[in-house]
């Protein structure tokens, strides 16, 4: 019993694999779909035509043969009646002999083999005992009572019967009609004709039709395969060339043969590929020129910037000797020079990313230490902006292969961005890790941003409100550089936000180089408990860490929707 169960499972597994292979071939091959559909439609059409033609042939052969047999039996009945009418039989034995003679003569008459039966009509009786006569008495049971009663009503009647000959059942027809026998009364004359010859002819015609249909199906399948192959091969070749083009082989082209539609398609495809190659080449040249221009300008600006920096520091050091307006100008000059220098540094860093020259100096470090260093650097800005930094570190070590300088730069950019937009609310920093990755989230409760804005927050020089001033002197490239730093580590940098509910950024880094991230240890979307009304954070004007925020109810806000940017 267990062996039978195992065999059944094996058979089901094999059938399942074959079905899956067929399903895959059906989905992936246009040629298979066209051939299968054409053959299915052809088989249905041929089956319908075969049934119609077979039925018509059967009806024609049967009807024609029955009409012929009815006419023949009518002639035989007429001859038998003439024989009875001219007979001078006076005794029962003479009548019996007459009946047998008529049955024998009529059995050997006609165009083919037939059996003849002379049976007393239902309800007829005679004073003298006169029996039935037949050319083959063993076949008398083939005359059914229904046919006898129908014949007794008058006229010629017939019925299809099954005639067993040498162990084989043959189709046959029984035809009957009343005759008057002298001295004996009314008898019924039945003729039994075999239709096996017509059945053999019909079987031959059907076999011929089936063979022709099979040949037609094979021919149809071959023609469909040939036509679809001629049509699909250029398309398949175009797909292969398109894949090669997508892989960067821009010189790949389709072969052009002939002057038909496929040749026109190949020529058009090659022209498109050549146009794309030319446009991509020009864009690459333009991009290279732009990167070189940014790099050259950034380098060239360093020399005059150094001179201006030296002069500005001299002026800034002597600002107390100037009148208030000049003193303020000196302070603004020093501030903008710092911002200009940061902008140049960011432009140079971006140009290195664009040129593919950025190098990762990876080292095994505890990410918690890098987070604390970035938070410590941001404390002064948070104090000035009235925000409190809340740090939640993982209990275990979060060691990963990272470039500490780049990761700290990412976190500093995220923290500065959160503090700038927190509007005095608490900025939450959380660190988590699992077997494959380390994650850091930075969450603020400030103005927030829409899902559409979260899609562009990492774009260069992008701001949600173009009229909004950069109060912290940012360059507009910090988050763009942070995203490139994250990608350089093989990690993710994602953003989420909702207006009035703040924003959340999540940095996820693999613990080891080569690990492909599929999930993050921390959630990007904040897990806020359901409330009857939304909660707004209202902070005091002072920056005392012990001064906890007040909670004020307001109208319900929109439901969370997760929006990730990678």
């Amino acid at each position: 019993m267990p062996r039978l169960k195992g065999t059944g499972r094996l058979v089901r597994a094999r059938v399942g694999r074959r079905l899956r292979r067929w399903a895959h071939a059906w989905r992936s091959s246009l040629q298979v779909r066209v051939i299968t559909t054409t053959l299915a439609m052809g088989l249905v059409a041929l089956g319908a035509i075969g049934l119609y033609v077979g039925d018509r042939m059967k009806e024609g052969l049967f009807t024609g043969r029955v009409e012929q047999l009815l006419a023949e039996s009518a002639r035989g009945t007429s001859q038998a009646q003439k024989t009875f009418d001219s007979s001078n039989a006076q005794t029962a034995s003479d009548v019996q002999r007459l009946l047998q003679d008529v049955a024998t003569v009529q059995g050997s008459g006609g165009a083919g083999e037939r059996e003849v039966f002379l049976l007393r009509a239902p309800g007829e009786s005679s004073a003298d005992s006169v029996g039935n006569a037949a050319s083959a008495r063993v076949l008398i049971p083939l005359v059914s009572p229904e046919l006898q009663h129908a014949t007794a009503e008058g006229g010629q009647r017939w019925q299809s019967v099954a005639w067993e000959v040498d162990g084989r059942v043959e189709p046959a027809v029984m035809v009957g009609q009343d005759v008057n026998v002298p001295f004996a009364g009314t008898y019924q004359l039945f003729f039994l004709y075999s239709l096996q010859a017509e059945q053999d002819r019909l079987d031959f015609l059907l076999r011929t039709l089936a063979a022709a249909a099979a040949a037609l199906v094979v021919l149809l399948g071959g023609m469909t395969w040939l036509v679809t192959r001629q049509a699909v091969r250029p398309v398949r070749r175009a797909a292969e060339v398109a894949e090669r083009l997508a892989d960067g082989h821009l010189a790949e082209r389709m072969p052009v043969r002939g002057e038909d539609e496929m040749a026109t398609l190949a020529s058009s495809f090659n022209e498109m590929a050549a146009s794309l190659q030319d446009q991509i080449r020009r864009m690459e040249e333009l991009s290279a020129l732009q990167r070189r221009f940014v790099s050259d300008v950034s380098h060239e600006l360093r020399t005059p910037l150094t001179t201006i920096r030296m002069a500005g520091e001299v002026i800034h050091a002597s600002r107390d000797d100037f009148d208030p307006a000049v003193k303020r100008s000196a302070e603004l000059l020093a501030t903008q020079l710092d911002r200009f220098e940061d902008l140049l540094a960011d432009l140079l860093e971006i140009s290195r990313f664009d040129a593919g020259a950025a190098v990762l100096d990876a080292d095994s470090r505890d990410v918690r230490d890098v987070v604390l260093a970035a938070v410590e650097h941001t404390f002064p800005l948070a104090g000035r902006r009235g925000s409190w930094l809340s740090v939640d570190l993982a209990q275990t070590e979060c060691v990963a292969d990272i470039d500490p300088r780049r990761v700290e730069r990412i976190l500093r950019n995220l923290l500065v961005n959160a503090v700038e937009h927190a509007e005095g609310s608490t900025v939450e920093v959380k660190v988590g890790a699992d077997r494959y990755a380390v994650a850091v989230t930075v969450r603020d409760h400030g103005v927030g941003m829409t899902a559409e804005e979260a899609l562009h927050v990492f774009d260069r020089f992008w701001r949600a409100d173009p009229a909004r001033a950069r109060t912290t002197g940012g360059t507009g490239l910090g988050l763009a550089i942070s995203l490139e730093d994250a990608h350089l580590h093989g990690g993710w940098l994602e953003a989420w936000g909702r207006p009035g509910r703040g924003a959340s950024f999540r940095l996820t880094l693999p613990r080891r180089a080569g690990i492909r991230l599929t999930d993050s240890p921390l959630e990007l979307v904040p897990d806020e408990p359901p409330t009857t009304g939304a909660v707004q954070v209202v902070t005091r004007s002072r920056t005392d860490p012990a001064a906890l925020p007040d909670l004020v109810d307001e109208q319900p806000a929109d439901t969370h929707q997760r929006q990730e940017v990678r």
Side-chain angles (χ1 to χ4, degrees), residues 85-112:
D85 292 341
S86 61
S87 173
N88 55 4
Q90 298 295 325
T91 64
S93 60
D94 293 338
V95 173
Q96 185 68 44
R97 189 165 45 253
L98 176 63
L99 291 176
Q100 191 63 43
D101 292 341
V102 169
T104 302
V105 171
Q106 291 296 326
S108 59

Side-chain angles (χ1 to χ4, degrees), residues 165-278:
V165 179
D166 298 331
R168 184 182 67 174
V169 178
E170 298 180 357
V173 63
M174 184 79 72
V175 183
Q177 193 171 352
D178 288 346
V179 291
N180 294 319
V181 179
F183 188 78
T186 302
Y187 268 70
Q188 292 179 334
L189 177 59
F190 294 99
F191 296 92
L192 176 63
Y193 298 93
S194 175
L195 299 180
Q196 185 60 40
E198 285 72 20
Q199 182 65 46
D200 293 339
R201 189 179 300 112
L202 178 63
D203 291 342
F204 173 75
L205 292 176
L206 291 179
R207 286 195 300 269
T208 304
L209 182 62
L216 185 59
V217 168
V218 173
L219 180 62
L220 181 62
M223 293 175 58
T224 305
W225 176 83
L226 182 61
V227 172
T228 54
R229 184 172 181 268
Q230 293 178 349
V232 169
R233 281 188 65 185
V235 176
R236 190 175 297 161
R237 177 60 180 164
E240 293 174 356
V241 173
E243 290 179 359
R244 295 277 295 171
L245 289 173
D247 291 337
H249 303 279
L250 301 180
E252 193 76 15
R253 295 293 183 270
M254 286 184 62
V256 181
R257 299 186 181 92
E259 299 178 357
D260 55 5
E261 291 81 358
M262 293 303 174
T264 304
L265 172 64
S267 299
S268 302
F269 186 91
N270 291 341
E271 292 176 2
M272 179 191 67
S275 177
L276 288 175
Q277 183 182 14
D278 182 61

Side-chain angles (χ1 to χ4, degrees), residues 445-563:
H445 301 270
V447 295
M449 55 184 172
T450 64
E452 180 66 23
E453 292 170 349
L455 291 173
H456 301 283
V457 72
F458 297 108
D459 294 349
R460 299 174 184 181
F461 299 107
W462 182 87
R463 285 185 292 178
D465 183 7
R468 183 181 175 90
R470 298 188 185 275
T471 57
T472 58
T475 64
L477 296 173
L479 291 180
I481 294 175
S482 298
L483 182 62
E484 296 293 344
D485 283 333
H487 288 169
L488 195 61
H489 283 82
W492 300 340
L493 184 56
E494 304 156 288
W496 171 92
R498 288 295 178 269
R501 292 166 55 189
S504 176
F505 288 81
R506 180 177 67 183
L507 172 65
T508 308
L509 301 174
R511 282 185 174 269
R512 297 291 180 268
I515 294 179
R516 187 177 182 86
L517 296 178
T518 58
D519 199 0
S520 180
L522 298 178
E523 292 292 332
L524 174 64
V525 180
D527 186 12
E528 299 179 353
T531 59
T532 57
V535 176
Q536 180 185 12
V537 178
V538 180
T539 59
R540 295 182 173 88
S541 59
R542 60 180 182 271
T543 60
D544 182 5
L548 299 177
D550 296 330
L551 299 180
V552 180
D553 291 338
E554 64 174 12
Q555 295 299 322
D558 294 337
T559 307
H560 292 196
Q561 290 186 2
R562 180 170 179 172
Q563 180 68 47

Side-chain angles (χ1 to χ4, degrees), residues 361-379 389 391 393-394 397-415 429-431 438-440 442 485 489 507 509:
D361 188 11
D363 189 14
S364 182
R365 292 285 299 274
D366 192 339
V367 177
R368 297 180 301 175
D369 297 336
V370 182
V371 171
L372 291 176
V375 169
E376 185 177 357
H377 180 272
T378 316
F379 267 138
L389 298 179
V391 182
L393 298 177
E397 289 186 346
C398 302
V399 179
D401 292 339
I402 61 173
D403 187 337
R405 179 182 65 85
R406 295 184 183 276
V407 174
E408 184 176 351
R409 180 167 62 186
I410 296 174
L411 296 175
R412 286 167 59 182
N413 284 328
L414 296 181
L415 287 169
V429 183
K430 188 175 182 180
V431 181
V438 177
V440 182
V442 179
D485 283 333
H489 283 82
L507 172 65
L509 301 174

